[in-house]
Short mmCIF file of all heavy atoms in Angstrom, two decimals:
data_model
loop_
_atom_site.label_atom_id
_atom_site.label_comp_id
_atom_site.label_asym_id
_atom_site.label_seq_id
_atom_site.Cartn_x
_atom_site.Cartn_y
_atom_site.Cartn_z
N TYR A 402 -24.24 -52.96 11.80
CA TYR A 402 -25.69 -53.16 11.87
C TYR A 402 -26.07 -54.52 11.28
O TYR A 402 -26.72 -54.64 10.25
CB TYR A 402 -26.45 -52.01 11.22
CG TYR A 402 -26.04 -51.63 9.83
CD1 TYR A 402 -26.78 -52.04 8.72
CD2 TYR A 402 -24.94 -50.82 9.61
CE1 TYR A 402 -26.42 -51.68 7.45
CE2 TYR A 402 -24.57 -50.45 8.33
CZ TYR A 402 -25.31 -50.88 7.25
OH TYR A 402 -24.94 -50.51 5.99
N GLN A 403 -25.66 -55.59 12.00
CA GLN A 403 -26.02 -56.94 11.62
C GLN A 403 -25.90 -57.83 12.86
O GLN A 403 -25.30 -57.45 13.86
CB GLN A 403 -25.10 -57.47 10.52
CG GLN A 403 -23.64 -57.51 10.92
CD GLN A 403 -22.74 -57.79 9.72
OE1 GLN A 403 -22.95 -57.24 8.65
NE2 GLN A 403 -21.77 -58.65 9.90
N ASP A 408 -21.02 -62.73 12.19
CA ASP A 408 -19.58 -62.48 12.14
C ASP A 408 -18.81 -63.42 13.09
O ASP A 408 -17.64 -63.17 13.38
CB ASP A 408 -19.28 -61.03 12.52
CG ASP A 408 -19.65 -60.06 11.41
OD1 ASP A 408 -19.78 -60.51 10.26
OD2 ASP A 408 -19.83 -58.86 11.69
N SER A 634 -20.80 -70.06 -4.16
CA SER A 634 -19.42 -70.09 -3.67
C SER A 634 -19.41 -70.70 -2.27
O SER A 634 -20.42 -70.68 -1.56
CB SER A 634 -18.82 -68.69 -3.64
OG SER A 634 -19.41 -67.93 -2.60
N ALA A 636 -17.67 -69.51 0.20
CA ALA A 636 -17.63 -68.39 1.16
C ALA A 636 -18.95 -67.63 1.11
O ALA A 636 -19.84 -67.91 0.29
CB ALA A 636 -16.47 -67.46 0.82
N ASN A 637 -19.09 -66.64 2.00
CA ASN A 637 -20.32 -65.84 2.03
C ASN A 637 -20.50 -64.98 0.80
O ASN A 637 -21.60 -64.56 0.48
CB ASN A 637 -20.34 -64.96 3.28
CG ASN A 637 -20.62 -65.75 4.54
OD1 ASN A 637 -21.11 -66.87 4.48
ND2 ASN A 637 -20.31 -65.17 5.68
N VAL A 638 -19.38 -64.65 0.12
CA VAL A 638 -19.44 -63.92 -1.13
C VAL A 638 -18.49 -64.59 -2.11
O VAL A 638 -17.63 -65.38 -1.72
CB VAL A 638 -19.04 -62.43 -0.96
CG1 VAL A 638 -20.05 -61.70 -0.09
CG2 VAL A 638 -17.64 -62.30 -0.37
N ALA A 639 -18.67 -64.29 -3.38
CA ALA A 639 -17.76 -64.80 -4.41
C ALA A 639 -16.79 -63.70 -4.78
O ALA A 639 -17.20 -62.59 -5.14
CB ALA A 639 -18.55 -65.25 -5.64
N THR A 640 -15.50 -63.99 -4.67
CA THR A 640 -14.47 -63.02 -5.04
C THR A 640 -13.79 -63.50 -6.31
O THR A 640 -13.18 -64.57 -6.33
CB THR A 640 -13.42 -62.85 -3.92
OG1 THR A 640 -14.09 -62.46 -2.72
CG2 THR A 640 -12.40 -61.79 -4.29
N SER A 641 -13.93 -62.74 -7.37
CA SER A 641 -13.36 -63.16 -8.64
C SER A 641 -11.85 -62.97 -8.62
O SER A 641 -11.32 -62.20 -7.81
CB SER A 641 -13.97 -62.35 -9.79
OG SER A 641 -13.51 -61.02 -9.75
N GLY A 644 -10.42 -59.52 -8.28
CA GLY A 644 -10.69 -58.75 -7.08
C GLY A 644 -12.11 -58.25 -6.93
O GLY A 644 -12.47 -57.76 -5.87
N ASN A 645 -12.95 -58.35 -7.96
CA ASN A 645 -14.33 -57.91 -7.81
C ASN A 645 -15.09 -58.86 -6.89
O ASN A 645 -14.84 -60.06 -6.88
CB ASN A 645 -15.04 -57.87 -9.18
CG ASN A 645 -14.47 -56.80 -10.07
OD1 ASN A 645 -14.04 -55.75 -9.59
ND2 ASN A 645 -14.46 -57.03 -11.36
N ILE A 646 -16.03 -58.30 -6.14
CA ILE A 646 -16.81 -59.09 -5.18
C ILE A 646 -18.24 -59.23 -5.71
O ILE A 646 -18.86 -58.23 -6.11
CB ILE A 646 -16.79 -58.42 -3.80
CG1 ILE A 646 -15.35 -58.34 -3.27
CG2 ILE A 646 -17.67 -59.20 -2.81
CD1 ILE A 646 -15.22 -57.62 -1.96
N TYR A 647 -18.76 -60.46 -5.68
CA TYR A 647 -20.10 -60.73 -6.18
C TYR A 647 -20.88 -61.54 -5.14
O TYR A 647 -20.33 -62.08 -4.19
CB TYR A 647 -20.04 -61.50 -7.51
CG TYR A 647 -19.42 -60.71 -8.61
CD1 TYR A 647 -18.06 -60.80 -8.86
CD2 TYR A 647 -20.18 -59.83 -9.38
CE1 TYR A 647 -17.47 -60.05 -9.87
CE2 TYR A 647 -19.61 -59.09 -10.39
CZ TYR A 647 -18.25 -59.21 -10.63
OH TYR A 647 -17.68 -58.46 -11.63
N LEU A 648 -22.19 -61.61 -5.38
CA LEU A 648 -23.07 -62.39 -4.51
C LEU A 648 -22.64 -63.85 -4.50
O LEU A 648 -22.12 -64.37 -5.49
CB LEU A 648 -24.51 -62.28 -5.02
CG LEU A 648 -25.61 -62.79 -4.08
CD1 LEU A 648 -25.94 -61.70 -3.06
CD2 LEU A 648 -26.87 -63.15 -4.88
N LYS A 649 -22.87 -64.50 -3.38
CA LYS A 649 -22.57 -65.93 -3.22
C LYS A 649 -23.22 -66.75 -4.33
O LYS A 649 -22.64 -67.71 -4.82
CB LYS A 649 -23.07 -66.37 -1.85
CG LYS A 649 -22.90 -67.84 -1.52
CD LYS A 649 -23.56 -68.13 -0.18
CE LYS A 649 -23.36 -69.59 0.24
NZ LYS A 649 -21.98 -69.83 0.68
N ARG A 650 -24.42 -66.35 -4.75
CA ARG A 650 -25.22 -67.10 -5.71
C ARG A 650 -25.09 -66.47 -7.10
O ARG A 650 -25.25 -65.26 -7.25
CB ARG A 650 -26.67 -67.07 -5.25
CG ARG A 650 -27.67 -67.78 -6.15
CD ARG A 650 -29.10 -67.51 -5.67
NE ARG A 650 -29.32 -67.83 -4.25
CZ ARG A 650 -30.29 -68.60 -3.79
NH1 ARG A 650 -31.14 -69.15 -4.62
NH2 ARG A 650 -30.43 -68.80 -2.50
N ILE A 670 -32.80 -64.27 -4.88
CA ILE A 670 -31.66 -64.28 -3.96
C ILE A 670 -32.19 -64.05 -2.55
O ILE A 670 -33.25 -63.44 -2.36
CB ILE A 670 -30.63 -63.19 -4.32
CG1 ILE A 670 -31.21 -61.78 -4.10
CG2 ILE A 670 -30.15 -63.36 -5.75
CD1 ILE A 670 -30.19 -60.67 -4.27
N THR A 671 -31.47 -64.54 -1.55
CA THR A 671 -31.93 -64.36 -0.17
C THR A 671 -31.40 -63.04 0.38
O THR A 671 -30.37 -62.52 -0.05
CB THR A 671 -31.45 -65.49 0.74
OG1 THR A 671 -30.04 -65.38 0.93
CG2 THR A 671 -31.79 -66.85 0.15
N LYS A 672 -32.11 -62.50 1.36
CA LYS A 672 -31.67 -61.27 2.00
C LYS A 672 -30.36 -61.49 2.77
O LYS A 672 -29.52 -60.58 2.85
CB LYS A 672 -32.75 -60.75 2.95
CG LYS A 672 -33.92 -60.11 2.21
CD LYS A 672 -34.88 -59.42 3.16
CE LYS A 672 -35.93 -58.63 2.38
NZ LYS A 672 -36.90 -57.97 3.28
N THR A 673 -30.18 -62.68 3.31
CA THR A 673 -28.92 -62.97 4.02
C THR A 673 -27.75 -62.89 3.05
O THR A 673 -26.70 -62.32 3.37
CB THR A 673 -28.98 -64.36 4.67
OG1 THR A 673 -30.05 -64.39 5.62
CG2 THR A 673 -27.67 -64.69 5.36
N GLU A 674 -27.91 -63.44 1.86
CA GLU A 674 -26.85 -63.38 0.87
C GLU A 674 -26.55 -61.93 0.49
O GLU A 674 -25.39 -61.54 0.35
CB GLU A 674 -27.24 -64.17 -0.38
CG GLU A 674 -27.28 -65.68 -0.16
CD GLU A 674 -27.97 -66.41 -1.29
OE1 GLU A 674 -28.58 -65.75 -2.16
OE2 GLU A 674 -27.93 -67.64 -1.30
N PHE A 675 -27.60 -61.14 0.31
CA PHE A 675 -27.37 -59.73 -0.04
C PHE A 675 -26.68 -58.99 1.10
O PHE A 675 -25.77 -58.19 0.87
CB PHE A 675 -28.68 -59.04 -0.39
CG PHE A 675 -28.50 -57.57 -0.60
CD1 PHE A 675 -27.90 -57.10 -1.75
CD2 PHE A 675 -28.86 -56.65 0.37
CE1 PHE A 675 -27.69 -55.75 -1.95
CE2 PHE A 675 -28.66 -55.29 0.18
CZ PHE A 675 -28.07 -54.84 -0.97
N THR A 676 -27.10 -59.24 2.33
CA THR A 676 -26.46 -58.58 3.48
C THR A 676 -24.98 -58.94 3.55
O THR A 676 -24.13 -58.09 3.82
CB THR A 676 -27.16 -58.98 4.78
OG1 THR A 676 -28.54 -58.55 4.72
CG2 THR A 676 -26.50 -58.32 5.98
N ASP A 677 -24.65 -60.21 3.29
CA ASP A 677 -23.24 -60.62 3.28
C ASP A 677 -22.46 -59.87 2.19
O ASP A 677 -21.31 -59.46 2.41
CB ASP A 677 -23.13 -62.13 3.03
CG ASP A 677 -23.60 -62.95 4.22
OD1 ASP A 677 -23.65 -62.41 5.34
OD2 ASP A 677 -23.92 -64.14 4.01
N LEU A 678 -23.06 -59.69 1.03
CA LEU A 678 -22.39 -58.97 -0.05
C LEU A 678 -22.21 -57.50 0.30
O LEU A 678 -21.14 -56.92 0.10
CB LEU A 678 -23.22 -59.11 -1.34
CG LEU A 678 -22.71 -58.33 -2.55
CD1 LEU A 678 -21.32 -58.80 -2.95
CD2 LEU A 678 -23.68 -58.48 -3.72
N GLN A 679 -23.23 -56.89 0.86
CA GLN A 679 -23.16 -55.49 1.24
C GLN A 679 -22.10 -55.27 2.32
O GLN A 679 -21.36 -54.28 2.31
CB GLN A 679 -24.53 -55.01 1.72
CG GLN A 679 -24.63 -53.51 1.96
CD GLN A 679 -26.02 -53.12 2.38
OE1 GLN A 679 -26.72 -53.89 3.04
NE2 GLN A 679 -26.44 -51.93 2.02
N THR A 680 -22.01 -56.20 3.26
CA THR A 680 -21.00 -56.09 4.33
C THR A 680 -19.60 -56.23 3.77
O THR A 680 -18.68 -55.53 4.19
CB THR A 680 -21.26 -57.17 5.40
OG1 THR A 680 -22.57 -56.99 5.94
CG2 THR A 680 -20.23 -57.08 6.52
N ALA A 681 -19.42 -57.14 2.82
CA ALA A 681 -18.09 -57.37 2.25
C ALA A 681 -17.65 -56.24 1.33
O ALA A 681 -16.46 -55.99 1.16
CB ALA A 681 -18.07 -58.69 1.48
N ASP A 682 -18.60 -55.53 0.72
CA ASP A 682 -18.27 -54.49 -0.27
C ASP A 682 -19.18 -53.28 -0.07
O ASP A 682 -19.94 -52.90 -0.95
CB ASP A 682 -18.44 -55.07 -1.68
CG ASP A 682 -17.88 -54.16 -2.75
OD1 ASP A 682 -17.09 -53.26 -2.43
OD2 ASP A 682 -18.24 -54.35 -3.92
N PRO A 683 -19.11 -52.60 1.10
CA PRO A 683 -20.08 -51.55 1.41
C PRO A 683 -20.00 -50.34 0.49
O PRO A 683 -21.01 -49.70 0.23
CB PRO A 683 -19.74 -51.18 2.86
CG PRO A 683 -18.32 -51.60 3.04
CD PRO A 683 -18.16 -52.82 2.19
N THR A 684 -18.81 -50.01 -0.02
CA THR A 684 -18.70 -48.82 -0.85
C THR A 684 -19.44 -48.97 -2.18
O THR A 684 -19.76 -47.97 -2.81
CB THR A 684 -17.22 -48.50 -1.13
OG1 THR A 684 -16.61 -49.62 -1.77
CG2 THR A 684 -16.49 -48.18 0.15
N SER A 685 -19.69 -50.20 -2.60
CA SER A 685 -20.42 -50.43 -3.85
C SER A 685 -21.93 -50.41 -3.66
O SER A 685 -22.67 -50.61 -4.62
CB SER A 685 -20.00 -51.75 -4.48
OG SER A 685 -18.65 -51.72 -4.87
N PHE A 686 -22.40 -50.20 -2.40
CA PHE A 686 -23.83 -50.18 -2.13
C PHE A 686 -24.21 -48.92 -1.37
O PHE A 686 -24.77 -48.99 -0.27
CB PHE A 686 -24.25 -51.43 -1.35
CG PHE A 686 -24.18 -52.69 -2.17
CD1 PHE A 686 -23.01 -53.45 -2.17
CD2 PHE A 686 -25.24 -53.09 -2.94
CE1 PHE A 686 -22.94 -54.60 -2.93
CE2 PHE A 686 -25.17 -54.24 -3.71
CZ PHE A 686 -24.00 -54.99 -3.71
N PRO A 687 -23.92 -47.72 -1.95
CA PRO A 687 -24.29 -46.49 -1.23
C PRO A 687 -25.79 -46.33 -1.05
O PRO A 687 -26.23 -45.64 -0.14
CB PRO A 687 -23.71 -45.38 -2.12
CG PRO A 687 -23.60 -46.01 -3.47
CD PRO A 687 -23.27 -47.44 -3.22
N GLY A 689 -27.89 -49.11 -0.74
CA GLY A 689 -28.41 -50.41 -0.35
C GLY A 689 -28.78 -51.25 -1.55
O GLY A 689 -28.05 -51.30 -2.55
N ILE A 690 -29.93 -51.93 -1.48
CA ILE A 690 -30.36 -52.79 -2.56
C ILE A 690 -30.53 -52.02 -3.87
O ILE A 690 -30.41 -52.58 -4.95
CB ILE A 690 -31.68 -53.52 -2.18
CG1 ILE A 690 -32.02 -54.63 -3.19
CG2 ILE A 690 -32.82 -52.53 -2.05
CD1 ILE A 690 -31.07 -55.81 -3.14
N SER A 692 -28.50 -50.11 -5.18
CA SER A 692 -27.22 -49.99 -5.86
C SER A 692 -26.86 -51.28 -6.60
O SER A 692 -25.84 -51.34 -7.28
CB SER A 692 -26.10 -49.66 -4.87
OG SER A 692 -26.33 -48.44 -4.22
N LEU A 693 -27.70 -52.32 -6.43
CA LEU A 693 -27.40 -53.62 -7.01
C LEU A 693 -27.39 -53.56 -8.53
O LEU A 693 -28.25 -52.93 -9.15
CB LEU A 693 -28.42 -54.64 -6.51
CG LEU A 693 -28.31 -56.08 -6.99
CD1 LEU A 693 -28.77 -57.03 -5.88
CD2 LEU A 693 -29.18 -56.31 -8.23
N THR A 694 -26.39 -54.19 -9.15
CA THR A 694 -26.34 -54.34 -10.59
C THR A 694 -26.09 -55.81 -10.93
O THR A 694 -25.71 -56.61 -10.07
CB THR A 694 -25.23 -53.48 -11.21
OG1 THR A 694 -23.97 -53.92 -10.69
CG2 THR A 694 -25.44 -52.02 -10.91
N ILE A 695 -26.29 -56.13 -12.19
CA ILE A 695 -26.06 -57.50 -12.66
C ILE A 695 -25.09 -57.44 -13.83
O ILE A 695 -25.27 -56.66 -14.76
CB ILE A 695 -27.38 -58.17 -13.08
CG1 ILE A 695 -28.33 -58.27 -11.88
CG2 ILE A 695 -27.12 -59.56 -13.67
CD1 ILE A 695 -29.70 -58.85 -12.20
N TYR A 732 -35.37 -61.57 -2.31
CA TYR A 732 -35.60 -60.54 -3.32
C TYR A 732 -35.77 -61.25 -4.66
O TYR A 732 -35.10 -62.24 -4.94
CB TYR A 732 -34.41 -59.58 -3.45
CG TYR A 732 -34.20 -58.65 -2.29
CD1 TYR A 732 -33.06 -58.75 -1.50
CD2 TYR A 732 -35.11 -57.64 -2.00
CE1 TYR A 732 -32.83 -57.89 -0.44
CE2 TYR A 732 -34.90 -56.77 -0.95
CZ TYR A 732 -33.77 -56.90 -0.16
OH TYR A 732 -33.55 -56.03 0.88
N LEU A 734 -35.33 -60.43 -8.75
CA LEU A 734 -34.64 -59.49 -9.62
C LEU A 734 -35.07 -59.77 -11.05
O LEU A 734 -34.79 -60.86 -11.58
CB LEU A 734 -33.12 -59.63 -9.49
CG LEU A 734 -32.53 -59.73 -8.08
CD1 LEU A 734 -31.04 -59.97 -8.16
CD2 LEU A 734 -32.83 -58.47 -7.29
N TYR A 745 -23.97 -62.42 -12.88
CA TYR A 745 -23.27 -62.25 -11.59
C TYR A 745 -23.76 -60.96 -10.96
O TYR A 745 -23.84 -59.92 -11.61
CB TYR A 745 -21.75 -62.21 -11.81
CG TYR A 745 -21.27 -63.41 -12.58
CD1 TYR A 745 -21.28 -63.41 -13.98
CD2 TYR A 745 -20.85 -64.55 -11.93
CE1 TYR A 745 -20.87 -64.51 -14.70
CE2 TYR A 745 -20.43 -65.67 -12.66
CZ TYR A 745 -20.45 -65.64 -14.03
OH TYR A 745 -20.05 -66.73 -14.74
N ILE A 746 -24.09 -61.02 -9.68
CA ILE A 746 -24.76 -59.91 -8.99
C ILE A 746 -23.75 -59.18 -8.11
O ILE A 746 -23.05 -59.80 -7.31
CB ILE A 746 -25.94 -60.44 -8.16
CG1 ILE A 746 -26.98 -61.07 -9.10
CG2 ILE A 746 -26.56 -59.35 -7.31
CD1 ILE A 746 -27.96 -61.99 -8.44
N GLY A 747 -23.67 -57.86 -8.29
CA GLY A 747 -22.70 -57.07 -7.53
C GLY A 747 -23.23 -55.70 -7.20
O GLY A 747 -24.44 -55.45 -7.23
N GLY A 748 -22.29 -54.79 -6.88
CA GLY A 748 -22.64 -53.43 -6.50
C GLY A 748 -22.77 -52.51 -7.68
O GLY A 748 -22.93 -52.96 -8.82
N ASN A 749 -22.67 -51.18 -7.43
CA ASN A 749 -22.98 -50.22 -8.47
C ASN A 749 -21.91 -50.09 -9.54
O ASN A 749 -22.05 -49.31 -10.47
CB ASN A 749 -23.28 -48.84 -7.88
CG ASN A 749 -22.04 -48.17 -7.29
OD1 ASN A 749 -20.96 -48.75 -7.26
ND2 ASN A 749 -22.21 -46.96 -6.83
N ASN A 750 -20.80 -50.84 -9.40
CA ASN A 750 -19.77 -50.89 -10.43
C ASN A 750 -19.18 -49.53 -10.77
O ASN A 750 -18.79 -49.29 -11.91
CB ASN A 750 -20.31 -51.54 -11.72
CG ASN A 750 -20.43 -53.05 -11.59
OD1 ASN A 750 -19.44 -53.76 -11.54
ND2 ASN A 750 -21.67 -53.54 -11.48
#
Side-chain angles (χ1 to χ4, degrees):
Y402 51 101
Q403 60 191 42
D408 286 340
S634 71
N637 286 342
V638 294
T640 303
S641 71
N645 292 328
I646 299 176
Y647 295 92
L648 193 82
K649 178 185 183 74
R650 179 188 307 232
I670 67 173
T671 70
K672 285 188 172 179
T673 299
E674 290 167 351
F675 174 74
T676 299
D677 289 340
L678 176 62
Q679 188 178 32
T680 301
D682 191 17
T684 58
S685 295
F686 290 91
I690 190 69
S692 299
L693 180 147
T694 62
I695 298 177
Y732 290 114
L734 314 176
Y745 307 86
I746 297 162
N749 70 357
N750 285 289

